[in-house]
């Protein structure tokens, strides 16, 4: 992997993580349960 592609993938990962945190915070404020699929099993994030 070249340095440029590594930096791009790291930047995209940071952007995705930031968006997920914002969405999760918005859901918490609205009182909506947050669920993720991990190894084909639903996992609820406790509020």
């Amino acid at each position: 992997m070249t340095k440029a592609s590594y930096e791009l993938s790291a930047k995209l990962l940071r952007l995705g993580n930031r968006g997920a945190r914002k969405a999760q915070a918005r859901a918490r404020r609205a009182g909506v349960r947050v669920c993720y699929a991990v190894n084909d099993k639903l996992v609820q994030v406790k509020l």
Side-chain angles (χ1 to χ4, degrees):
M1 180 181 287
T2 65
K3 182 179 177 184
S5 62
Y6 177 79
E7 289 174 351
L8 178 61
S9 64
K11 184 177 183 177
L12 291 173
L13 182 63
R14 280 193 304 270
L15 288 172
N17 287 340
R18 186 184 312 160
R21 280 193 304 270
K22 284 183 178 183
Q24 189 171 346
R26 199 174 330 141
R28 283 185 175 154
R29 284 193 301 270
V32 177
R33 291 183 184 220
V34 178
C35 297
Y36 294 99
V38 178
N39 293 330
D40 295 330
K41 294 183 181 179
L42 286 179
V43 178
Q44 290 184 2
V45 178
K46 295 185 179 183
L47 297 176

Short mmCIF file of all heavy atoms in Angstrom, two decimals:
data_model
loop_
_atom_site.label_atom_id
_atom_site.label_comp_id
_atom_site.label_asym_id
_atom_site.label_seq_id
_atom_site.Cartn_x
_atom_site.Cartn_y
_atom_site.Cartn_z
N MET A 1 0.86 -1.18 0.00
CA MET A 1 0.00 0.00 0.00
C MET A 1 0.90 1.23 0.00
O MET A 1 1.83 1.32 0.78
CB MET A 1 -0.89 -0.02 1.25
CG MET A 1 -1.81 1.16 1.34
SD MET A 1 -2.86 1.19 2.81
CE MET A 1 -4.01 -0.07 2.45
N THR A 2 0.59 2.15 -0.86
CA THR A 2 1.40 3.37 -0.93
C THR A 2 1.01 4.31 0.21
O THR A 2 -0.06 4.16 0.84
CB THR A 2 1.19 4.09 -2.26
OG1 THR A 2 -0.16 4.54 -2.32
CG2 THR A 2 1.48 3.17 -3.44
N LYS A 3 1.87 5.25 0.46
CA LYS A 3 1.61 6.21 1.54
C LYS A 3 0.36 7.02 1.25
O LYS A 3 -0.45 7.28 2.14
CB LYS A 3 2.82 7.14 1.71
CG LYS A 3 2.65 8.12 2.83
CD LYS A 3 3.86 9.01 3.00
CE LYS A 3 3.59 10.02 4.11
NZ LYS A 3 4.67 10.96 4.27
N ALA A 4 0.16 7.40 -0.01
CA ALA A 4 -1.01 8.21 -0.38
C ALA A 4 -2.31 7.43 -0.18
O ALA A 4 -3.28 7.97 0.36
CB ALA A 4 -0.89 8.65 -1.83
N SER A 5 -2.31 6.15 -0.56
CA SER A 5 -3.53 5.37 -0.38
C SER A 5 -3.79 5.10 1.10
O SER A 5 -4.94 5.06 1.54
CB SER A 5 -3.46 4.06 -1.16
OG SER A 5 -2.41 3.25 -0.70
N TYR A 6 -2.74 4.91 1.89
CA TYR A 6 -2.90 4.72 3.33
C TYR A 6 -3.49 5.98 3.97
O TYR A 6 -4.41 5.90 4.79
CB TYR A 6 -1.56 4.39 3.98
CG TYR A 6 -1.65 4.27 5.48
CD1 TYR A 6 -2.15 3.12 6.06
CD2 TYR A 6 -1.27 5.32 6.29
CE1 TYR A 6 -2.26 3.01 7.43
CE2 TYR A 6 -1.37 5.23 7.66
CZ TYR A 6 -1.87 4.07 8.23
OH TYR A 6 -1.97 3.97 9.59
N GLU A 7 -2.97 7.14 3.60
CA GLU A 7 -3.49 8.40 4.16
C GLU A 7 -4.94 8.63 3.77
O GLU A 7 -5.74 9.08 4.58
CB GLU A 7 -2.61 9.56 3.71
CG GLU A 7 -1.25 9.58 4.36
CD GLU A 7 -0.34 10.65 3.80
OE1 GLU A 7 -0.69 11.28 2.78
OE2 GLU A 7 0.74 10.85 4.38
N LEU A 8 -5.29 8.29 2.53
CA LEU A 8 -6.67 8.44 2.08
C LEU A 8 -7.60 7.50 2.85
O LEU A 8 -8.67 7.91 3.30
CB LEU A 8 -6.78 8.17 0.58
CG LEU A 8 -8.18 8.25 -0.01
CD1 LEU A 8 -8.77 9.64 0.18
CD2 LEU A 8 -8.16 7.86 -1.47
N SER A 9 -7.19 6.25 3.03
CA SER A 9 -8.04 5.31 3.75
C SER A 9 -8.18 5.72 5.22
O SER A 9 -9.26 5.57 5.80
CB SER A 9 -7.49 3.88 3.64
OG SER A 9 -6.23 3.77 4.25
N ALA A 10 -7.14 6.25 5.83
CA ALA A 10 -7.21 6.72 7.21
C ALA A 10 -8.16 7.91 7.32
O ALA A 10 -8.95 8.00 8.27
CB ALA A 10 -5.82 7.09 7.71
N LYS A 11 -8.10 8.81 6.34
CA LYS A 11 -8.99 9.97 6.35
C LYS A 11 -10.45 9.55 6.18
O LYS A 11 -11.33 10.05 6.89
CB LYS A 11 -8.60 10.93 5.22
CG LYS A 11 -9.40 12.19 5.19
CD LYS A 11 -8.91 13.13 4.09
CE LYS A 11 -9.67 14.43 4.10
NZ LYS A 11 -9.16 15.36 3.10
N LEU A 12 -10.71 8.60 5.28
CA LEU A 12 -12.08 8.11 5.09
C LEU A 12 -12.60 7.41 6.33
O LEU A 12 -13.77 7.55 6.70
CB LEU A 12 -12.14 7.18 3.88
CG LEU A 12 -11.92 7.83 2.52
CD1 LEU A 12 -11.82 6.78 1.44
CD2 LEU A 12 -13.01 8.84 2.23
N LEU A 13 -11.74 6.66 7.00
CA LEU A 13 -12.14 5.99 8.23
C LEU A 13 -12.48 7.00 9.31
O LEU A 13 -13.48 6.85 10.03
CB LEU A 13 -11.02 5.06 8.70
CG LEU A 13 -11.31 4.25 9.95
CD1 LEU A 13 -12.48 3.30 9.72
CD2 LEU A 13 -10.08 3.46 10.36
N ARG A 14 -11.69 8.06 9.45
CA ARG A 14 -11.98 9.11 10.43
C ARG A 14 -13.31 9.78 10.13
O ARG A 14 -14.12 10.02 11.04
CB ARG A 14 -10.86 10.16 10.44
CG ARG A 14 -9.64 9.76 11.21
CD ARG A 14 -8.71 10.93 11.46
NE ARG A 14 -8.30 11.60 10.24
CZ ARG A 14 -7.22 11.28 9.53
NH1 ARG A 14 -6.46 10.28 9.91
NH2 ARG A 14 -6.92 11.93 8.43
N LEU A 15 -13.57 10.08 8.85
CA LEU A 15 -14.83 10.70 8.47
C LEU A 15 -16.02 9.79 8.78
O LEU A 15 -17.05 10.24 9.29
CB LEU A 15 -14.82 11.07 6.99
CG LEU A 15 -13.94 12.24 6.60
CD1 LEU A 15 -13.88 12.35 5.08
CD2 LEU A 15 -14.47 13.53 7.20
N GLY A 16 -15.87 8.51 8.48
CA GLY A 16 -16.94 7.56 8.76
C GLY A 16 -17.20 7.42 10.25
O GLY A 16 -18.36 7.37 10.69
N ASN A 17 -16.14 7.36 11.04
CA ASN A 17 -16.30 7.24 12.49
C ASN A 17 -16.97 8.48 13.07
O ASN A 17 -17.82 8.38 13.97
CB ASN A 17 -14.95 7.02 13.17
CG ASN A 17 -14.41 5.63 12.93
OD1 ASN A 17 -15.16 4.72 12.59
ND2 ASN A 17 -13.12 5.47 13.09
N ARG A 18 -16.60 9.64 12.56
CA ARG A 18 -17.21 10.88 13.04
C ARG A 18 -18.70 10.91 12.73
O ARG A 18 -19.52 11.27 13.57
CB ARG A 18 -16.52 12.09 12.39
CG ARG A 18 -17.00 13.42 12.95
CD ARG A 18 -16.39 14.60 12.24
NE ARG A 18 -14.95 14.46 12.11
CZ ARG A 18 -14.22 15.13 11.22
NH1 ARG A 18 -14.79 15.98 10.39
NH2 ARG A 18 -12.92 14.97 11.17
N GLY A 19 -19.07 10.48 11.53
CA GLY A 19 -20.48 10.43 11.15
C GLY A 19 -21.26 9.44 12.00
O GLY A 19 -22.39 9.71 12.40
N ALA A 20 -20.66 8.30 12.29
CA ALA A 20 -21.33 7.29 13.12
C ALA A 20 -21.54 7.82 14.54
O ALA A 20 -22.61 7.61 15.13
CB ALA A 20 -20.52 6.01 13.16
N ARG A 21 -20.56 8.51 15.08
CA ARG A 21 -20.71 9.08 16.44
C ARG A 21 -21.80 10.13 16.47
O ARG A 21 -22.59 10.19 17.42
CB ARG A 21 -19.38 9.69 16.90
CG ARG A 21 -18.40 8.67 17.43
CD ARG A 21 -17.24 9.33 18.15
NE ARG A 21 -16.54 10.31 17.35
CZ ARG A 21 -15.50 10.03 16.58
NH1 ARG A 21 -15.05 8.80 16.50
NH2 ARG A 21 -14.89 10.97 15.89
N LYS A 22 -21.86 10.98 15.43
CA LYS A 22 -22.91 11.99 15.38
C LYS A 22 -24.29 11.36 15.28
O LYS A 22 -25.23 11.78 15.95
CB LYS A 22 -22.69 12.94 14.19
CG LYS A 22 -21.60 13.94 14.41
CD LYS A 22 -21.50 14.87 13.20
CE LYS A 22 -20.45 15.92 13.39
NZ LYS A 22 -20.41 16.85 12.26
N ALA A 23 -24.42 10.34 14.44
CA ALA A 23 -25.70 9.66 14.28
C ALA A 23 -26.12 8.97 15.57
O ALA A 23 -27.29 9.00 15.96
CB ALA A 23 -25.62 8.65 13.15
N GLN A 24 -25.17 8.36 16.26
CA GLN A 24 -25.48 7.68 17.51
C GLN A 24 -25.89 8.69 18.58
O GLN A 24 -26.85 8.45 19.33
CB GLN A 24 -24.27 6.89 17.99
CG GLN A 24 -24.56 5.99 19.16
CD GLN A 24 -23.40 5.06 19.46
OE1 GLN A 24 -22.49 4.90 18.66
NE2 GLN A 24 -23.44 4.44 20.60
N ALA A 25 -25.24 9.83 18.65
CA ALA A 25 -25.62 10.87 19.62
C ALA A 25 -27.00 11.41 19.31
O ALA A 25 -27.81 11.64 20.22
CB ALA A 25 -24.58 11.99 19.59
N ARG A 26 -27.31 11.60 18.03
CA ARG A 26 -28.62 12.09 17.63
C ARG A 26 -29.71 11.08 18.01
O ARG A 26 -30.77 11.45 18.49
CB ARG A 26 -28.62 12.34 16.12
CG ARG A 26 -29.72 13.23 15.64
CD ARG A 26 -29.60 13.57 14.17
NE ARG A 26 -28.21 13.59 13.71
CZ ARG A 26 -27.80 13.13 12.53
NH1 ARG A 26 -28.65 12.64 11.68
NH2 ARG A 26 -26.53 13.18 12.19
N ALA A 27 -29.43 9.81 17.82
CA ALA A 27 -30.40 8.76 18.17
C ALA A 27 -30.61 8.72 19.69
O ALA A 27 -31.73 8.54 20.16
CB ALA A 27 -29.91 7.41 17.67
N ARG A 28 -29.54 8.89 20.45
CA ARG A 28 -29.68 8.90 21.91
C ARG A 28 -30.56 10.06 22.37
O ARG A 28 -31.40 9.89 23.25
CB ARG A 28 -28.31 9.01 22.57
CG ARG A 28 -27.56 7.72 22.57
CD ARG A 28 -26.27 7.86 23.33
NE ARG A 28 -25.62 6.55 23.42
CZ ARG A 28 -24.34 6.38 23.56
NH1 ARG A 28 -23.54 7.41 23.62
NH2 ARG A 28 -23.83 5.17 23.63
N ARG A 29 -30.35 11.22 21.77
CA ARG A 29 -31.17 12.38 22.16
C ARG A 29 -32.64 12.15 21.83
O ARG A 29 -33.52 12.59 22.55
CB ARG A 29 -30.67 13.64 21.46
CG ARG A 29 -29.40 14.20 22.04
CD ARG A 29 -29.12 15.60 21.52
NE ARG A 29 -29.00 15.66 20.07
CZ ARG A 29 -27.87 15.51 19.39
NH1 ARG A 29 -26.75 15.28 20.03
NH2 ARG A 29 -27.86 15.60 18.08
N ALA A 30 -32.90 11.42 20.75
CA ALA A 30 -34.27 11.14 20.32
C ALA A 30 -34.87 9.95 21.07
O ALA A 30 -36.05 9.67 20.94
CB ALA A 30 -34.31 10.88 18.82
N GLY A 31 -34.04 9.23 21.83
CA GLY A 31 -34.52 8.08 22.57
C GLY A 31 -34.66 6.82 21.74
O GLY A 31 -35.36 5.88 22.12
N VAL A 32 -33.99 6.77 20.61
CA VAL A 32 -34.05 5.61 19.71
C VAL A 32 -32.91 4.66 20.05
O VAL A 32 -31.78 5.10 20.30
CB VAL A 32 -33.93 6.06 18.23
CG1 VAL A 32 -33.91 4.89 17.29
CG2 VAL A 32 -35.04 7.02 17.89
N ARG A 33 -33.20 3.37 20.08
CA ARG A 33 -32.14 2.40 20.35
C ARG A 33 -31.17 2.33 19.19
O ARG A 33 -31.57 2.42 18.03
CB ARG A 33 -32.73 1.02 20.57
CG ARG A 33 -33.52 0.92 21.82
CD ARG A 33 -34.01 -0.49 22.00
NE ARG A 33 -34.85 -0.54 23.19
CZ ARG A 33 -34.84 -1.52 24.05
NH1 ARG A 33 -34.06 -2.56 23.82
NH2 ARG A 33 -35.61 -1.49 25.10
N VAL A 34 -29.92 2.14 19.50
CA VAL A 34 -28.88 2.04 18.48
C VAL A 34 -28.45 0.59 18.41
O VAL A 34 -28.08 -0.01 19.41
CB VAL A 34 -27.68 2.94 18.83
CG1 VAL A 34 -26.59 2.80 17.79
CG2 VAL A 34 -28.12 4.39 18.95
N CYS A 35 -28.53 -0.02 17.23
CA CYS A 35 -28.17 -1.42 17.02
C CYS A 35 -27.14 -1.53 15.91
O CYS A 35 -27.18 -0.78 14.95
CB CYS A 35 -29.40 -2.25 16.65
SG CYS A 35 -30.66 -2.31 17.91
N TYR A 36 -26.24 -2.47 16.08
CA TYR A 36 -25.24 -2.77 15.06
C TYR A 36 -25.26 -4.27 14.80
O TYR A 36 -25.62 -5.05 15.67
CB TYR A 36 -23.83 -2.37 15.52
CG TYR A 36 -23.66 -0.89 15.69
CD1 TYR A 36 -23.74 -0.30 16.95
CD2 TYR A 36 -23.43 -0.07 14.60
CE1 TYR A 36 -23.59 1.07 17.11
CE2 TYR A 36 -23.27 1.30 14.75
CZ TYR A 36 -23.34 1.85 16.01
OH TYR A 36 -23.20 3.19 16.16
N ALA A 37 -24.85 -4.68 13.63
CA ALA A 37 -24.71 -6.09 13.31
C ALA A 37 -23.23 -6.46 13.41
O ALA A 37 -22.39 -5.88 12.72
CB ALA A 37 -25.23 -6.38 11.92
N VAL A 38 -22.93 -7.40 14.30
CA VAL A 38 -21.57 -7.88 14.49
C VAL A 38 -21.60 -9.39 14.30
O VAL A 38 -22.29 -10.09 15.05
CB VAL A 38 -21.03 -7.52 15.89
CG1 VAL A 38 -19.63 -8.07 16.08
CG2 VAL A 38 -21.05 -6.02 16.11
N ASN A 39 -20.89 -9.88 13.33
CA ASN A 39 -20.87 -11.31 13.01
C ASN A 39 -22.28 -11.85 12.82
O ASN A 39 -22.65 -12.89 13.35
CB ASN A 39 -20.15 -12.10 14.10
CG ASN A 39 -18.68 -11.78 14.16
OD1 ASN A 39 -18.08 -11.44 13.16
ND2 ASN A 39 -18.10 -11.85 15.34
N ASP A 40 -23.09 -11.12 12.07
CA ASP A 40 -24.46 -11.50 11.75
C ASP A 40 -25.38 -11.58 12.96
O ASP A 40 -26.39 -12.26 12.94
CB ASP A 40 -24.51 -12.82 10.98
CG ASP A 40 -23.84 -12.69 9.63
OD1 ASP A 40 -23.87 -11.58 9.06
OD2 ASP A 40 -23.30 -13.69 9.13
N LYS A 41 -25.02 -10.93 14.06
CA LYS A 41 -25.87 -10.87 15.24
C LYS A 41 -26.09 -9.41 15.59
O LYS A 41 -25.16 -8.60 15.54
CB LYS A 41 -25.21 -11.58 16.44
CG LYS A 41 -25.05 -13.07 16.21
CD LYS A 41 -24.47 -13.73 17.43
CE LYS A 41 -24.30 -15.21 17.19
NZ LYS A 41 -23.72 -15.88 18.34
N LEU A 42 -27.33 -9.07 15.95
CA LEU A 42 -27.63 -7.69 16.34
C LEU A 42 -27.14 -7.42 17.75
O LEU A 42 -27.37 -8.21 18.66
CB LEU A 42 -29.14 -7.43 16.25
CG LEU A 42 -29.71 -7.30 14.86
CD1 LEU A 42 -31.21 -7.07 14.93
CD2 LEU A 42 -29.06 -6.17 14.10
N VAL A 43 -26.48 -6.29 17.90
CA VAL A 43 -25.95 -5.87 19.20
C VAL A 43 -26.54 -4.50 19.48
O VAL A 43 -26.43 -3.59 18.67
CB VAL A 43 -24.42 -5.78 19.17
CG1 VAL A 43 -23.87 -5.31 20.49
CG2 VAL A 43 -23.82 -7.12 18.79
N GLN A 44 -27.20 -4.36 20.64
CA GLN A 44 -27.78 -3.08 21.01
C GLN A 44 -26.79 -2.30 21.85
O GLN A 44 -26.11 -2.85 22.73
CB GLN A 44 -29.06 -3.26 21.80
CG GLN A 44 -30.19 -3.79 20.99
CD GLN A 44 -31.46 -3.86 21.81
OE1 GLN A 44 -31.50 -3.47 22.97
NE2 GLN A 44 -32.51 -4.37 21.20
N VAL A 45 -26.69 -1.01 21.60
CA VAL A 45 -25.86 -0.13 22.39
C VAL A 45 -26.74 0.43 23.48
O VAL A 45 -27.79 1.00 23.20
CB VAL A 45 -25.25 1.00 21.52
CG1 VAL A 45 -24.44 1.94 22.37
CG2 VAL A 45 -24.41 0.41 20.42
N LYS A 46 -26.33 0.26 24.72
CA LYS A 46 -27.15 0.74 25.83
C LYS A 46 -27.12 2.26 25.88
O LYS A 46 -26.08 2.88 25.69
CB LYS A 46 -26.66 0.15 27.15
CG LYS A 46 -26.83 -1.34 27.19
CD LYS A 46 -26.47 -1.89 28.52
CE LYS A 46 -26.68 -3.40 28.50
NZ LYS A 46 -26.41 -4.00 29.78
N LEU A 47 -28.28 2.84 26.14
CA LEU A 47 -28.38 4.30 26.19
C LEU A 47 -28.02 4.83 27.54
O LEU A 47 -28.18 4.38 28.56
CB LEU A 47 -29.79 4.74 25.81
CG LEU A 47 -30.21 4.40 24.38
CD1 LEU A 47 -31.65 4.79 24.15
CD2 LEU A 47 -29.32 5.13 23.41
#
